[in-house]
Amino acid sequence: MAAPSMKVITVEDRIKVVNLMKSKNEKLRFLTWIREKNEKNKIQDRLVVITKYRVFTLVKKQESKLKIDRNENFFNLKELLSLNNLHCCIVFRDFFIDCYSDQSDQLCISLLKSYLTISQGLSKDLMLEFKSEPENRLGPFDLKPKIAEGFIQMYKCWCNFYQTNVSYEFISYLSNDIVQNEDPETSINFDLSSYPLFNSLISSQKDLVPIVETLKYNQYFKTLTCLNIPNRDLIPQLSESLYENCSLTKIILTGTNSPNGLDSIGKALEKNQEIKISFLDLSNNKIVDSTIKNGFGMGIEKNSGKLQYLDLSSCGMTPKITEKILGHLSKSTNQNMQYLNLSENQFKKQGSQGFSSWLKSATNKKNLQEVYLSNCGIDFEIISSALLQSSAECTLRIVNLSDNKMIQNHGSALCNFVRENRTLQELNLTGVMIPPQIASQLVFEVLVNENYSGFILHLGNNSLGPKGARLISDSFGQLPDSKSLEELILDDNKFSVEGMSNLFKDYEKGIFVNKSLKRLSISRNVEKTKSQKLNTDAIVNLFRHPTLEYLRIRGNIRYALSTKLKEVFPKIKQLNLIALDIKGNEMGPESIKNLADLISKRSTKLLSLQMDSNQFNLSAIQSIAWSFKTNILLFDFRWPKHDISKMFYGLSSKEKKKLKKNIKDLKEKITTGCNNNNAGADMPQISPDVYDMRIFKSGNVQDSDLQEVFMSDFERLSRNANTSETTSSELEDHKLRKQQSDAFIPKFQKNPIFKSRKYREKRNAQKMKPQEIKNLFNQKLNLNQNQNQNQNQNENQNQNQNQNQNQNENQNENQNQIKNENLNQNETQNQNENQNQIKNENLNQNQNQNQNQNQNQNQNQNEIQNQNENQNQNQNENQNENLNQNQNENLNQNQNFD
C-alpha cells in the first residue's frame, strides 16, 4: 500500500500545540498528522496529540487556529488495532479514531508506552486490548517497575480523569512513609488514618474519589486501615473499592462513626466472591438490627470460609444481634477461624447459646486458637460447657473471659475444661469474682496437667482474701515438681497481711517449692494497717525465690512490714530477679540507697527496674547513678517523674534552676549507663497491670500528681507532645526505652482488643477536667493554633514550589522550542556559508589568473633586462624590488576584497 501524502508538522504547528496543551495542564509526548474519514465519509486532516494521560484530536479552523475536536482519558481506552505500518484504529468507549498516517507505528508505540505506565497492576480483564497484524509486530516493551506497582501514576491519571487536583503531600507520604518502610507489613498497608493531612484530604469527597478508584484496581497493597474516622461518608466510599479489588487480605476499619458504613462493606463482600479477606477488624462500630438485614450478615456468611481473624469488639451488639452474627458464621461449611473477638458486647443467655451453637457446628475446630469474650455478661455454665465439649477437637491457646460475673455453681465446668484441654496457654479470669475454692482448684488443675507448658493464669481483682491466698499456697504445696505454670497474676485480691503471710512466710512450703513460676504480680493486696504486721523475712523470701524472674509488688507494702523497708534489702545477699517493679511503695531515700547498693553488686542479674512514687530525693537519685559504675546489666530504668515533680514544690526560681541542672546531669549519667549496658539481652514478659487502665476508665481521679503515677510513658509524652514539658531528648529516650522493652509485651496484648481499650482509655481520660489539666489544655490550644499557622505556611510554600516547578517545565519547553528554531537558523546559516565558499573559490581563481599575468610580465621584463646587459645592475635590482612591492600590494587588495 502506497503511503498517503501527509502534511508535515511545522515549527509553527508544534508551538501552537504546546501552548494549547499548556492551557489544559497537559504535557505533550507525541504529535503527528493523520487522515480520517468523518461522518460524511469525507477525508479530513487532523492532528493526533498524545499527552501523559489523554489522547486529543485537533483540527485547523480559519486563520490557522487549532481547535480540539475530541479528547479522552486513557482509562476510557478499550482497544488499539495496528493493521499495518500505515493504518491503525484507536477505540474508546464512545467513539473511535481511524488513523491513516505514515507514522502509524510510532503513534501506536507512543500510546502503548504512555498507557502501560499508568496501568500497572490492572487485571487482564480491565487492560487495553492490543492487536497487530501480523502478531508481535510491535513490542514487547520493557518498562521500569514503578513505585507500589504504579499506584502513584494511576492515582495521577484518575485525578486527570475526574479533573481534580493532585495531592503531592499524599504522594510523598505513600512513597516515603509506607512503601519505603523497612517493615514489610507496613510497606503493604494502605493506612489513611496515619496520613498527617488526612482530615484535609477527606474534607472534599471529590478529592477522595481518585484514591478510591486507584485502590479499586491496584494489586500492590494487601491491607486497608482506617482508625477513628470522623467522616461518616468515608467508609461507604472506601467500600466501593471492595467491589473490584482482589488483592486485599486485611481490612481494619475501627471507630468509623458511620451508621451505614458496615452495610456497604457487607454488600461489597457479598458480591465480590474473588476477594480473599482473611483478617477483618471492625471494632468500635455500631451494629444494629438493620445492619444485619442490609447485607452485613450475608457478607460475613459468604466470607466466613476465608476469614481467619474477626474482631467485632465494642460494637454495642445486643444478645439478639450477637446470636444472628454467630448464626451467619455457623452456616459456612468450611470454617478456618483462628481468632474471634466479641468483647464489650451483650451476650447473656441468648448470646451464650449462639456461641455454643457456633462452636459445636464449626467444621474446622482445630484452627480456632484465640477467643475473647471480655465484659460480655456471658453465662459461664453455657460457655464452659461448650468449651469442654469441644476441648478434644479445638486447639485453643488463649481464652479471655475477664470482667464477667461468675456464679459459684458454674465453676466446676470451667475446671473440667482446664483439666481436659491439652493446648491451652493462657486463661484470663480477671474480675469475674471467682470463689476462692474454684480459684485454688483452677491453680491445681493447671499444675497437674502435664500437657501445659508456660501457662499464664490471670486471677486478679477477684477479692479472694486471706482464705484464697492460703488455698492457692496449698495447691502449690501439693505439686512441688509441676512445670506447667509460668505466670500468675494475683493483683487486687485483698489478701491483707494474713494472706501475704500465708503465701510467703515459709520458704520451704507453698509457692516457693514450685520451680516453674517465672513471673508473679501481687500488687495492691495490703492496705494501711497498724494492728497486724508482716515479718520482714516474708518479703526477703519473695526476693529469694529460686526461679522467679519478674516480680511486680506495687502498692503500700511498707505499711504491712513490722520494720522499715530499708532493713529488707541488706538481708538479700543475691538478687536473682531480672525485672523488678516496686512502684508506689513509699520506700524512702534510705531504702532506695540500700537497693542501689544491692544493684551495684556484680552478682545482681537485674535488667529492668521501675520504682517511681517511692519518695525519691536528689541523694537517692545519685545513689542510683553511682550504682552504674559497677553494674554491667541494668539497661531499663524508668525515670521517677512523679517523685521528681514533688521535689520542685515550694522552691524558689533559683533553687528550681539549680535542681533542674543537677537532675539533668544525673539523668545523663543514668541514660549513659543504661545505653552502655544494653547488650540485647532477652527480657521476661508479663501481662500489663490492669489498674493502669481501670484508673482512667473510672474517670474519678482528680489529682494530677496521682495521674502521673499511673500514666504510661507513651500517654504522658503524647499528652505533652505540644507543650514545653517534653523535650526532644525525652521523646528519644522514650523511643529507645520502648525498643528495649518490646519483649515485655505479651503476644495477646498485640491483638486489637488491647488497641480498642487504649482508645477507650484515651477518650475517658479526656473527660477528666481538673484545674491543672485545663491549664495544660489551654496551652495546647495556643500551641495548636501556632502549629496550624505553620502548617498553612508550609502548604503555601509547597504550592509556590509546585508553581515554580510548572514554571520551570514551561521554561524547559520554551527552551526546546528555541532550540528547534536555532536549529532552523543554523540550517540557513549553513546554506549561506556554502554560498560564501563558492564565492571564495571564484575569487581564488581570479586571484590565480592575476598572478599568472604578473608572472608573464616579469618574464618579459627579465628578457629586456638580459638584452640591456650594459645597464646598471643596481637600477635593475631597484626595479625588481619595486615590482615585487606592487605585486604584494595587489595581493593585499584582492584579499581585502575577498
Side-chain angles (χ1 to χ4, degrees):
M1 181 178 178
S5 58
M6 304 299 303
K7 287 186 177 182
V8 178
I9 297 175
T10 64
V11 175
E12 183 181 359
D13 292 338
R14 184 175 291 275
I15 292 173
K16 287 181 180 180
V17 172
V18 168
N19 293 331
L20 182 60
M21 292 299 104
K22 282 182 182 178
S23 64
K24 301 296 181 181
N25 293 324
E26 298 286 344
K27 292 183 180 180
L28 178 63
R29 286 198 167 182
F30 184 78
L31 173 67
T32 185
W33 280 104
I34 66 166
R35 285 192 169 183
E36 181 188 14
K37 289 183 180 180
N38 61 9
E39 297 177 352
K40 297 180 181 180
N41 290 329
K42 291 184 179 180
I43 297 177
Q44 290 184 341
D45 291 328
R46 298 180 186 274
L47 270 171
V48 172
V49 179
I50 297 177
T51 64
K52 203 170 183 180
Y53 307 116
R54 284 184 175 268
V55 178
F56 292 82
T57 58
L58 310 179
V59 295
K60 270 192 175 182
K61 295 295 182 182
Q62 295 179 356
E63 299 179 359
S64 300
K65 289 185 178 180
L66 291 175
K67 181 181 179 181
I68 296 176
D69 182 26
R70 289 170 294 187
N71 78 91
E72 197 59 77
N73 188 276
F74 285 162
F75 284 128
N76 281 329
L77 272 171
K78 291 183 65 178
E79 193 174 2
L80 177 61
L81 304 175
S82 178
L83 303 177
N84 50 57
N85 60 348
L86 301 175
H87 185 199
C88 67
C89 186
I90 306 173
V91 182
F92 293 92
R93 294 182 185 275
D94 300 326
F95 64 93
F96 67 92
I97 304 174
D98 198 11
C99 307
Y100 290 92
S101 173
D102 55 355
Q103 295 188 359
S104 175
D105 286 350
Q106 289 82 353
L107 174 62
C108 293
I109 291 172
S110 177
L111 181 59
L112 282 172
K113 286 184 177 180
S114 298
Y115 179 81
L116 291 175
T117 57
I118 58 95
S119 61
Q120 291 185 17
L122 287 179
S123 61
K124 293 183 179 180
D125 298 335
L126 301 172
M127 285 286 289
L128 165 71
E129 185 178 1
F130 173 66
K131 296 180 181 179
S132 64
E133 294 181 4
E135 288 188 26
N136 301 325
R137 185 168 59 85
L138 300 178
F141 306 103
D142 295 331
L143 297 176
K144 295 181 180 179
K146 301 294 182 180
I147 296 176
E149 295 185 4
F151 188 94
I152 293 175
Q153 297 297 329
M154 190 185 296
Y155 164 69
K156 289 181 179 179
C157 190
W158 280 116
C159 289
N160 181 278
F161 183 88
Y162 289 103
Q163 297 296 304
T164 60
N165 296 324
V166 177
S167 176
Y168 290 98
E169 293 84 0
F170 178 70
I171 292 174
S172 176
Y173 163 71
L174 279 181
S175 58
N176 298 329
D177 296 346
I178 294 184
V179 177
Q180 296 182 6
N181 196 293
E182 295 180 357
D183 185 8
E185 293 186 2
T186 305
S187 63
I188 57 174
N189 182 7
F190 188 78
D191 189 355
L192 277 176
S193 54
S194 61
Y195 174 51
L197 302 178
F198 176 64
N199 292 329
S200 61
L201 179 66
I202 65 173
S203 59
S204 174
Q205 295 185 9
K206 188 177 180 182
D207 294 336
L208 191 64
V209 170
I211 296 177
V212 175
E213 291 292 336
T214 309
L215 186 63
K216 184 185 296 184
Y217 301 112
N218 183 264
Q219 296 183 0
Y220 174 78
F221 292 104
K222 306 299 181 184
T223 305
L224 173 62
T225 303
C226 277
L227 307 177
N228 300 331
I229 303 163
N231 194 324
R232 294 189 173 189
D233 299 326
L234 178 62
I235 296 303
Q237 282 186 294
L238 288 177
S239 62
E240 292 294 325
S241 64
L242 301 180
Y243 283 95
E244 300 290 341
N245 191 289
C246 298
S247 63
L248 288 175
T249 58
K250 290 185 179 181
I251 298 177
I252 305 173
L253 302 173
T254 65
T256 60
N257 193 26
S258 177
N260 301 323
L262 298 186
D263 301 352
S264 57
I265 291 174
K267 291 177 181 178
L269 294 178
E270 181 183 359
K271 292 184 178 180
N272 189 358
Q273 293 299 309
E274 295 183 3
I275 195 169
K276 298 178 181 179
I277 300 295
S278 60
F279 188 107
L280 185 61
D281 183 0
L282 301 176
S283 57
N284 290 309
N285 292 299
K286 188 68 175 177
I287 298 180
V288 295
D289 193 30
S290 59
T291 307
I292 307 298
K293 294 179 181 179
N294 292 337
F296 181 72
M298 289 301 298
I300 293 293
E301 180 179 336
K302 294 291 184 181
N303 286 271
S304 60
K306 308 169 187 175
L307 277 176
Q308 298 178 4
Y309 184 108
L310 178 62
D311 188 352
L312 297 177
S313 60
S314 302
C315 288
M317 294 189 295
T318 62
K320 182 179 179 181
I321 297 174
T322 304
E323 186 182 21
K324 288 183 178 180
I325 289 289
L326 292 168
H328 283 290
L329 287 175
S330 61
K331 291 180 181 179
S332 175
T333 57
N334 184 20
Q335 295 186 18
N336 296 312
M337 191 73 69
Q338 298 180 10
Y339 176 101
L340 179 64
N341 190 348
L342 298 176
S343 300
E344 305 289 340
N345 293 298
Q346 297 181 24
F347 265 64
K348 297 184 179 180
K349 188 174 182 179
Q350 186 176 4
S352 301
Q353 290 176 347
F355 177 82
S356 177
S357 300
W358 169 77
L359 193 59
K360 292 177 182 178
S361 63
T363 54
N364 291 337
K365 296 179 183 179
K366 293 182 179 180
N367 297 323
L368 187 62
Q369 296 181 5
E370 301 181 28
V371 174
Y372 293 85
L373 302 177
S374 176
N375 194 17
C376 291
I378 62 173
D379 189 317
F380 262 97
E381 185 177 9
I382 297 175
I383 298 295
S384 300
S385 300
L387 293 173
L388 177 61
Q389 293 177 8
S390 61
S391 60
E393 301 177 9
C394 289
T395 58
L396 279 171
R397 296 187 299 106
I398 300 174
V399 175
N400 188 340
L401 304 177
S402 60
D403 298 324
N404 293 291
K405 291 184 179 180
M406 176 188 287
I407 301 175
Q408 187 169 5
N409 298 330
H410 294 169
S412 58
L414 188 61
C415 293
N416 294 333
F417 162 68
V418 174
R419 182 190 304 117
E420 298 295 333
N421 192 279
R422 297 182 179 181
T423 59
L424 197 63
Q425 297 179 5
E426 182 176 347
L427 178 62
N428 193 336
L429 297 175
T430 302
V432 300
M433 304 309 293
I434 187 171
Q437 296 85 354
I438 302 298
S440 63
Q441 187 178 352
L442 280 172
V443 173
F444 179 81
E445 296 296 346
V446 172
L447 293 172
V448 78
N449 196 327
E450 296 180 354
N451 296 309
Y452 293 154
S453 178
F455 198 91
I456 302 173
L457 182 60
H458 299 256
L459 294 176
N461 195 23
N462 281 302
S463 301
L464 296 176
K467 181 180 179 181
R470 178 176 55 80
L471 293 174
I472 291 174
S473 179
D474 293 341
S475 298
F476 276 101
Q478 295 177 17
L479 298 165
D481 298 329
S482 175
K483 298 181 181 179
S484 303
L485 188 60
E486 190 171 291
E487 180 178 329
L488 181 61
I489 309 297
L490 296 173
D491 300 330
D492 303 293
N493 274 306
K494 299 180 181 180
F495 286 155
S496 72
V497 173
E498 181 183 355
M500 297 288 283
S501 179
N502 292 333
L503 281 173
F504 312 121
K505 188 175 181 180
D506 195 345
Y507 186 72
E508 297 180 355
K509 295 182 181 179
I511 199 171
F512 295 103
V513 299
N514 184 273
K515 296 181 181 180
S516 65
L517 189 64
K518 294 183 179 180
R519 299 179 295 277
L520 176 64
S521 180
I522 50 171
S523 301
R524 296 172 300 277
N525 278 297
V526 179
E527 298 179 354
K528 185 175 181 180
T529 178
K530 294 182 180 180
S531 59
Q532 289 182 330
K533 294 294 181 179
L534 183 63
N535 194 330
T536 308
D537 294 337
I539 299 299
V540 174
N541 291 338
L542 182 59
F543 282 93
R544 292 170 53 203
H545 193 284
T547 60
L548 205 60
E549 294 180 350
Y550 193 122
L551 177 61
R552 183 168 62 204
I553 50 173
R554 296 181 182 182
N556 295 322
I557 300 294
R558 174 186 176 186
Y559 297 113
L561 294 176
S562 58
T563 59
K564 293 183 179 180
L565 195 61
K566 66 180 181 180
E567 298 180 5
V568 172
F569 297 111
K571 294 183 179 182
I572 302 174
K573 296 181 180 180
Q574 183 176 353
L575 190 63
N576 295 323
L577 293 172
I578 295 178
L580 177 62
D581 185 352
I582 50 175
K583 292 173 63 175
N585 282 301
E586 301 182 17
M587 294 168 53
E590 294 183 6
S591 300
I592 296 172
K593 292 178 182 179
N594 293 334
L595 179 59
D597 293 338
L598 182 62
I599 294 172
S600 62
K601 294 180 180 179
R602 290 189 176 273
S603 60
T604 301
K605 301 178 182 179
L606 201 64
L607 301 179
S608 176
L609 179 61
Q610 300 184 45
M611 50 188 306
D612 196 4
S613 189
N614 276 300
Q615 299 180 359
F616 268 85
N617 59 12
L618 192 61
S619 62
I621 300 175
Q622 287 176 348
S623 63
I624 296 293
W626 291 338
S627 67
F628 282 95
K629 292 183 179 180
T630 55
N631 186 286
I632 59 174
L633 294 176
L634 181 63
F635 69 85
D636 182 24
F637 177 76
R638 307 298 173 90
W639 194 245
K641 295 186 177 181
H642 175 62
D643 285 338
I644 291 174
S645 64
K646 285 186 176 182
M647 293 167 60
F648 287 90
Y649 292 164
L651 298 180
S652 62
S653 58
K654 291 183 179 179
E655 292 173 339
K656 287 182 179 179
K657 187 176 181 180
K658 183 179 179 181
L659 180 61
K660 187 175 181 180
K661 182 181 179 181
N662 293 331
I663 291 176
K664 185 178 180 181
D665 294 338
L666 292 174
K667 186 175 182 179
E668 289 179 358
K669 292 181 180 179
I670 293 175
T671 304
T672 303
C674 290
N675 293 336
N676 293 335
N677 291 345
N678 185 9
D682 294 333
M683 296 290 294
Q685 302 176 1
I686 194 169
S687 305
D689 192 350
V690 295
Y691 186 71
D692 291 353
M693 295 181 284
R694 194 165 64 246
I695 195 168
F696 283 103
K697 188 174 182 179
S698 62
N700 295 326
V701 180
Q702 299 297 325
D703 187 2
S704 60
D705 291 334
L706 187 60
Q707 293 174 29
E708 287 288 339
V709 179
F710 301 107
M711 184 180 294
S712 66
D713 290 336
F714 176 78
E715 291 168 334
R716 184 186 298 108
L717 295 174
S718 299
R719 188 195 69 178
N720 299 331
N722 295 326
T723 65
S724 59
E725 297 179 8
T726 301
T727 62
S728 59
S729 61
E730 290 182 41
L731 291 172
E732 292 175 358
D733 184 28
H734 165 68
K735 290 179 181 178
L736 178 63
R737 190 166 63 247
K738 187 176 182 299
Q739 292 175 358
Q740 295 171 351
S741 305
D742 280 344
F744 279 95
I745 303 174
K747 294 181 180 179
F748 68 90
Q749 189 181 357
K750 299 178 183 178
N751 293 327
I753 179 170
F754 287 91
K755 290 184 179 180
S756 62
R757 283 181 179 175
K758 288 181 181 179
Y759 301 139
R760 292 196 297 275
E761 292 159 20
K762 289 180 181 180
R763 290 199 301 269
N764 292 328
Q766 291 173 358
K767 296 178 182 179
M768 298 185 296
K769 297 181 180 180
Q771 188 63 33
E772 294 184 2
I773 293 180
K774 286 183 179 179
N775 296 333
L776 289 174
F777 183 74
N778 293 328
Q779 291 178 6
K780 288 170 68 176
L781 283 177
N782 296 328
L783 290 170
N784 286 333
Q785 290 177 358
N786 295 329
Q787 286 183 351
N788 292 331
Q789 292 178 359
N790 294 329
Q791 287 180 358
N792 293 329
Q793 292 177 0
N794 292 330
E795 290 176 358
N796 294 328
Q797 290 178 359
N798 292 329
Q799 290 178 358
N800 294 329
Q801 289 178 358
N802 293 330
Q803 291 178 359
N804 292 329
Q805 288 179 358
N806 294 328
Q807 290 178 0
N808 292 329
E809 291 174 354
N810 295 332
Q811 290 177 0
N812 292 329
E813 290 178 355
N814 292 328
Q815 289 177 358
N816 291 329
Q817 293 177 3
I818 292 169
K819 287 180 180 178
N820 293 327
E821 292 176 357
N822 291 330
L823 289 172
N824 295 328
Q825 291 178 0
N826 291 329
E827 290 177 357
T828 56
Q829 288 178 0
N830 291 329
Q831 292 176 358
N832 293 328
E833 288 177 358
N834 292 329
Q835 293 177 358
N836 291 328
Q837 287 179 357
I838 293 169
K839 289 180 179 179
N840 290 328
E841 291 175 357
N842 294 328
L843 290 171
N844 291 327
Q845 290 177 0
N846 294 327
Q847 193 175 19
N848 293 327
Q849 290 176 1
N850 292 328
Q851 288 178 356
N852 293 326
Q853 290 177 2
N854 291 328
Q855 289 176 358
N856 293 327
Q857 289 178 1
N858 290 330
Q859 290 177 359
N860 294 327
Q861 288 177 358
N862 289 326
E863 291 176 357
I864 293 170
Q865 288 175 357
N866 291 325
Q867 291 175 2
N868 298 321
E869 292 178 354
N870 295 323
Q871 292 181 356
N872 193 0
Q873 292 180 356
N874 292 328
Q875 291 180 355
N876 290 331
E877 290 176 359
N878 291 330
Q879 287 179 357
N880 290 327
E881 288 178 357
N882 291 330
L883 288 171
N884 291 326
Q885 287 178 0
N886 292 329
Q887 288 176 359
N888 292 328
E889 288 176 357
N890 291 329
L891 287 171
N892 291 330
Q893 288 177 1
N894 290 330
Q895 289 177 357
N896 292 330
F897 177 77
D898 291 335

